[in-house]
Amino acid sequence: MVKVQVDDVIVDVPPGSSALQACEAAGKEIPRFCYHERLSVAGNCRMCLVEVVRAPKPVASCGFPVGEGMIIKTDTEVVRRARRAVMEFLLINHPLDCPICDQGGECDLQDQAFGYGSGRSRYLEEKRAVVDKDLGPLVKTVMTRCIQCTRCVRFSTEIAGTPELGAVSRGESLEITNYVEKALTSELSGNLIDICPVGALTSKPYAFHARPWEMKKTDAIDVMDAVGTNIRLQARGASVMRIMPRVNDAVNEEWLADKGRFSVDGLTRRRLDTPWVRVHGKLTKVSWQDAFVAIAQRLKVVPGNRIGAIAGDLCDTESLYALRLLMESLGSANLDCRQDGAQYDVSNRAFYTFNSTIAGIEEADALLVVGAVPRHEAPVLNARIRKRFLAAGRDKFPIAYVGAPPTDPTYDYDLIGEGPSALADLLDGRHAFADVLAGAKKPMIILGHGALTRPDAQAILAACWALADKVGALTPDWHGFNVLHTAASRVAGLDLGFLPGAGGRTAAGMMSGGVDVLWLLGADEMDMHRIGPETFVIYQGHHGDAGAARADVILPGAAYTEKSGTYVNTEGRVQRSFQAVFPPGDAREDWRILRALSETLGHALPFDTLDALRARMEAEHPVLARLDTAPRFGGAGLAAPAAEGAIGSEPFHPVIADYYETNAVSRASPTMAECSRVYARPALVQAAE
Amino acid sequence: MMAMANLGTRFHTMLKGRLVGRDADGRAYYESRTANRTGGGLKRHERWVIYHPGEDASAVPAEWWPWLHHMQDAPIPESARKGWQLSFKPNMTGTPAAYTPPGSAARGGRRARTTGDYEAWSPDEA
């Protein structure tokens, strides 16, 4: 450790720290624009000037390494004058359009001009103006506001791995540009809006909608993928205006994928706000009581084993638990949370979670991805893989894919094979990557749903486990076997045992006439035509999508922003989300609907409050009581998952065809529809033009 | 023409007032014959207006308002009006011609989309 004196405070900082980090450690706030903790140091804004004793002039603290016994002064007249001069230069070409700027109120330049800005301008010459760039449907640019901090260039190059932004020209003519008119292709492009310290990059769909101080902020968990990104919902009045990430180094650092950020306008469209019952083949608006009576009359004549429930991808753990209890009380074992038909081995939690943990990716030194496309299935997790790839250095973090060739995963990779036969090659050691894995200290295997949704999923799972065991990925202090989920509710469903019980039917079995009454809890991503015409379908959910169109009774539930819920991410990390706004119209939180209906059916569920439900759920499933932690554990000494059947030969297919439209919320969002048009189907657009 | 002023004002106008002019609608504007008031640190003439029946102070048109309030020495002549100027209108609050914002119930209650609105799903669109 290096001892540094900052003003009157003496701090110990690790060698190699910058003067700015030493000042932060001493609790001194240093103004900055270009410096960002998670990006490389550029040192071009000069706002972080401090005085170092015996240095001839003020130094930019962000790029100045500390030395033993260094004395830094952060608040002298020299420093203040220097910062005022820098601010004056920055403001020369910055427009005074704060009243019409979307960054107003959360602008670094605005905040720091308050401290270091001069009250009047001495600049009488003409200001420069810069042509706005078209960065696609998500990021709006007002490039005259740009102060050339280059954070966006570094973000897109380093974090997102899509080096599409850069700077051209020099001096006053320097411009940030994407060189050619082309939409940003990153799934993390929304983070550019957050890191831009001024209003040069702002959100296009949110432009001129609200001001930051008008909003009520609520902590929540993103449900668009299974990463469990920590988000902050910003609501004005009765609607969520925008979604921004929260910092959680163990999960998402401070990034949020575009689907989670920009599908917010889907939350006010196609909403189910009243119960519906199908009368003579036509859906009719009814009261809650009438809907309950319709369900009760139908259930009265159906034996328990002819009732089934399928849960969708966005459900909170509480509603899954309530529905499971209700189904059990009705005498049904037909439960399934796997609407995509995936197969797991639930005999051990390690067989279906991301055991290395997301933060653990940074320790791994070899990676095999089987049947997964992390860039589309979990963009934030993919950024972590890229971070490790960059940090490890050339050839120090070899990555291999088994599956369909991914389009630019943002790091170098080897394609071993497109089908499961590549796994056999690795197990036999015929392929050279087997030696790479075996030679690694902490190898990782990520198994995705491209493999788990196949009929031979159990055998592939067992093969991957065997491979992990063989290459030394399962040691007492490292667990290198990982399942990458795509559905936010899946791990919770598996933890709760929302699976077919003894003699119960799977989702496929229920749909093909296996049950007479089918309860869909937000399940939309299935082929509804496969449900038999005689089946009585009850859809409980928040958006009018495939499930609602097929339903005989619709019970309007709450979207994830409208209920307090628990979510378990792919690591098995249990996180709690809070309610930001109320469900629209007559819609209610899902556990309340189930509790109220259970009373009508004469099987009242044993809780009256959400706390009572949680207490009961956590008593039954203690793993769900461990909030916000994903304990690391080794993989040694675990029994292998049971291998059933033989591995097929068909190649793996990606499970996500269109990243921007994977669930009911994103399908209702006009912004996501536009993204889908621009990114996922560019060939069609070009053909039309 | 001083019919609408009360007795005291009529008496005062007869004794002290000097008619300065009338606006386009015929309201009479008077000034005292002597500089009998103090205002703005100066001795100056008192200025007043005789309204039409039922009017309030907002009825004074823009041409006469600065003169009445001692901001200018003379009223603005009608000839100074520009072609793009709207005609003067007094405060309409309390009358049927009062301003109502868009979306007000008095205008039929039809308003543009705002925060908190949502589009409900209906089976017909599916």
Side-chain angles (χ1 to χ4, degrees):
Chain A
M1 299 296 262
V2 181
K3 204 176 277 298
V4 182
Q5 184 181 343
V6 181
D7 295 339
D8 302 329
V9 188
I10 294 175
V11 286
D12 284 324
V13 291
S17 301
S18 64
L20 193 147
Q21 285 167 323
C23 295
E24 300 242 294
K28 303 286 175 189
E29 197 174 318
I30 305 294
R32 86 287 299 266
F33 294 111
C34 70
Y35 176 80
H36 191 279
E37 292 84 353
R38 298 180 206 277
L39 301 175
S40 63
V41 174
N44 53 0
C45 76
R46 316 310 288 178
M47 195 63 201
C48 61
L49 292 173
V50 295
E51 213 182 342
V52 175
V53 171
R54 287 198 298 281
K57 50 186 182 174
V59 297
S61 59
C62 65
F64 194 75
V66 293
E68 183 64 39
M70 201 163 88
I71 301 171
I72 303 170
K73 292 183 174 167
T74 65
D75 197 25
T76 63
E77 191 51 37
V78 171
V79 169
R80 280 197 294 268
R81 271 209 341 257
R83 289 181 188 164
R84 277 192 208 119
V86 169
M87 178 60 81
E88 192 172 7
F89 273 120
L90 287 175
L91 291 179
I92 277 179
N93 279 321
H94 192 83
L96 287 175
D97 61 352
C98 302
I100 57 150
C101 176
D102 263 326
Q103 193 82 358
E106 52 185 2
C107 175
D108 289 1
L109 188 64
Q110 210 177 27
D111 294 348
Q112 292 172 36
F114 197 73
Y116 298 100
S118 149
R120 70 178 62 169
S121 173
R122 295 189 286 169
Y123 188 74
L124 302 172
E125 291 75 12
E126 295 195 355
K127 291 191 169 205
R128 73 173 206 154
V130 184
V131 178
D132 292 344
K133 312 296 182 294
D134 186 0
L135 300 185
L138 299 177
V139 181
K140 178 187 160 184
T141 62
V142 184
M143 296 315 284
T144 306
R145 295 180 188 145
C146 175
I147 57 169
Q148 289 88 39
C149 69
T150 68
R151 272 190 193 178
C152 54
V153 178
R154 284 174 283 147
F155 176 86
S156 55
T157 311
E158 294 163 15
I159 308 287
T162 51
E164 293 166 335
L165 288 175
V168 295
S169 304
R170 281 298 185 101
E172 199 199 12
S173 318
L174 188 133
E175 284 183 34
I176 303 295
T177 171
N178 53 350
Y179 307 120
V180 291
E181 288 277 287
K182 179 171 165 293
L184 297 171
T185 57
S186 173
E187 285 78 21
L188 296 167
S189 62
N191 298 297
L192 289 169
I193 299 162
D194 291 346
I195 60 156
C196 181
V198 293
L201 304 179
T202 53
S203 170
K204 204 172 255 183
Y206 167 79
F208 309 130
H209 278 227
R211 285 297 196 183
W213 58 84
E214 296 172 326
M215 288 194 299
K216 189 187 78 177
K217 283 94 171 169
T218 311
D219 289 357
I221 302 298
D222 181 40
V223 298
M224 296 293 144
D225 54 34
V227 175
T229 303
N230 290 213
I231 53 173
R232 178 159 292 138
L233 306 170
Q234 305 204 354
R236 186 179 65 187
S239 64
V240 178
M241 302 301 293
R242 65 171 172 178
I243 298 175
M244 289 173 82
R246 261 186 299 149
V247 176
N248 187 339
D249 281 334
V251 182
N252 58 311
E253 301 189 279
E254 57 181 90
W255 317 124
L256 170 59
D258 285 352
K259 191 166 30 171
R261 185 189 298 261
F262 292 109
S263 62
V264 63
D265 53 356
L267 292 169
T268 53
R269 287 176 173 83
R270 275 199 241 161
R271 291 306 304 268
L272 300 174
D273 63 345
T274 180
W276 298 76
V277 169
R278 198 175 288 275
V279 182
H280 304 304
K282 195 172 178 339
L283 283 170
T284 317
K285 282 186 189 182
V286 294
S287 67
W288 276 107
Q289 197 53 44
D290 292 347
F292 284 178
V293 168
I295 294 171
Q297 278 177 347
R298 178 71 205 193
L299 285 178
K300 209 160 30 177
V301 294
V302 176
N305 64 356
R306 299 291 294 170
I307 304 171
I310 301 176
D313 292 349
L314 310 180
C315 307
D316 55 321
T317 311
E318 286 83 354
S319 56
L320 288 173
Y321 180 70
L323 181 57
R324 201 199 81 195
L325 288 193
L326 180 64
M327 285 295 144
E328 281 172 359
S329 68
L330 292 170
S332 167
N334 304 318
L335 291 164
D336 209 337
C337 64
R338 307 161 303 178
Q339 55 171 350
D340 53 5
Q343 299 175 57
Y344 308 94
D345 187 332
V346 293
S347 58
N348 188 327
R349 201 170 188 237
F351 297 158
Y352 61 86
T353 54
F354 201 90
N355 302 306
S356 304
T357 72
I358 295 172
I361 294 173
E362 293 182 32
E363 298 167 23
D365 49 6
L367 172 64
L368 175 68
V369 179
V370 181
V373 185
R375 178 163 174 184
H376 289 150
E377 292 167 15
V380 174
L381 188 142
N382 198 54
R384 198 67 86 112
I385 298 176
R386 176 171 168 80
K387 184 183 182 188
R388 173 62 190 151
F389 171 75
L390 290 183
R394 181 177 280 267
D395 297 336
K396 295 279 168 36
F397 185 52
I399 301 167
Y401 271 66
V402 175
T407 49
D408 184 19
T410 73
Y411 33 76
D412 297 342
Y413 68 98
D414 294 323
L415 187 67
I416 296 182
E418 299 195 17
S421 60
L423 282 177
D425 289 350
L426 287 168
L427 270 170
D428 297 348
R430 279 198 299 265
H431 196 280
F433 198 76
D435 300 332
V436 175
L437 283 175
K441 284 196 190 69
K442 291 184 170 180
M444 269 182 85
I445 295 175
I446 296 180
L447 183 58
H449 278 63
L452 290 169
T453 50
R454 294 157 55 101
D456 54 355
Q458 298 278 13
I460 294 173
L461 180 90
C464 286
W465 184 275
L467 181 63
D469 201 17
K470 183 158 177 274
V471 300
L474 308 175
T475 62
D477 59 349
W478 177 251
H479 200 314
F481 178 82
N482 302 288
V483 173
L484 180 60
H485 286 270
T486 55
S489 68
R490 189 62 53 86
V491 178
L494 299 176
D495 281 346
L496 283 172
F498 202 96
L499 295 163
R505 293 173 194 276
T506 62
M510 283 185 249
M511 288 174 74
S512 53
V515 291
D516 292 333
V517 176
L518 181 58
W519 191 297
L520 302 179
L521 182 65
D524 288 304
E525 286 75 35
M526 304 183 297
D527 185 6
M528 294 296 163
H529 298 294
R530 279 168 52 212
I531 302 177
E534 299 303 311
T535 311
F536 184 80
V537 178
I538 302 163
Y539 181 80
Q540 179 184 354
H542 40 82
H543 274 74
D545 209 89
R550 168 63 184 83
D552 294 295
V553 175
I554 298 175
L555 304 176
Y560 69 105
T561 54
E562 292 150 8
K563 59 188 169 192
S564 175
T566 306
Y567 297 94
V568 188
N569 80 349
T570 188
E571 299 169 286
R573 182 187 302 272
V574 183
Q575 301 184 102
R576 198 149 281 172
S577 177
F578 295 91
Q579 180 179 17
V581 293
F582 290 99
D586 283 340
R588 293 290 180 270
E589 287 121 279
D590 293 283
W591 76 269
R592 279 180 202 277
I593 297 171
L594 292 160
R595 171 67 182 79
L597 176 66
S598 69
E599 188 102 44
T600 310
L601 297 178
H603 297 282
L605 293 173
F607 41 77
D608 295 324
T609 63
L610 191 59
D611 286 340
L613 186 160
R614 282 182 179 152
R616 205 182 154 83
M617 180 174 81
E618 286 164 7
E620 202 175 319
H621 303 280
V623 75
L624 295 174
R626 237 172 23 203
L627 278 184
D628 295 327
T629 51
R632 300 283 293 274
F633 51 87
L638 291 173
E644 285 171 26
I647 295 181
S649 57
E650 205 193 327
F652 295 115
H653 296 294
V655 283
I656 294 183
D658 179 354
Y659 165 73
Y660 295 97
E661 298 200 323
T662 56
N663 54 44
V665 179
S666 54
R667 278 191 293 271
S669 157
T671 308
M672 290 293 102
E674 175 65 9
C675 285
S676 170
R677 191 184 72 81
V678 172
Y679 297 115
R681 289 179 275 132
L684 286 178
V685 176
Q686 275 168 8
E689 286 164 357
Chain B
M1 271 311 286
M2 286 159 37
M4 275 329 292
N6 63 27
L7 190 65
T9 307
R10 271 171 23 203
F11 211 60
H12 181 76
T13 307
M14 261 190 315
L15 288 179
K16 302 272 178 74
R18 180 178 71 81
L19 184 66
V20 175
R22 290 175 190 278
D23 65 24
D25 296 334
R27 291 177 203 89
Y29 295 84
Y30 290 90
E31 194 174 54
S32 59
R33 282 176 220 140
T34 55
N36 58 345
R37 287 290 171 96
T38 310
L42 298 166
K43 291 293 272 185
R44 64 186 188 186
H45 298 273
E46 184 187 1
R47 291 172 180 175
W48 68 95
V49 57
I50 305 295
Y51 296 109
H52 289 323
E55 284 181 346
D56 66 16
S58 75
V60 176
E63 281 78 17
W64 283 89
W65 199 92
W67 173 83
L68 192 62
H69 292 82
H70 299 279
M71 292 164 70
Q72 292 183 353
D73 294 334
I76 301 166
E78 282 289 318
S79 58
R81 282 191 76 82
K82 301 283 186 292
W84 41 261
Q85 273 182 290
L86 295 176
S87 57
F88 178 77
K89 247 169 77 181
N91 182 1
M92 292 295 176
T93 302
T95 71
Y99 172 76
T100 47
S104 145
R107 269 165 79 166
R110 295 166 62 114
R111 62 175 175 81
R113 217 189 108 77
T114 59
T115 316
D117 288 1
Y118 62 93
E119 287 168 21
W121 176 83
S122 89
D124 309 325
E125 74 177 74

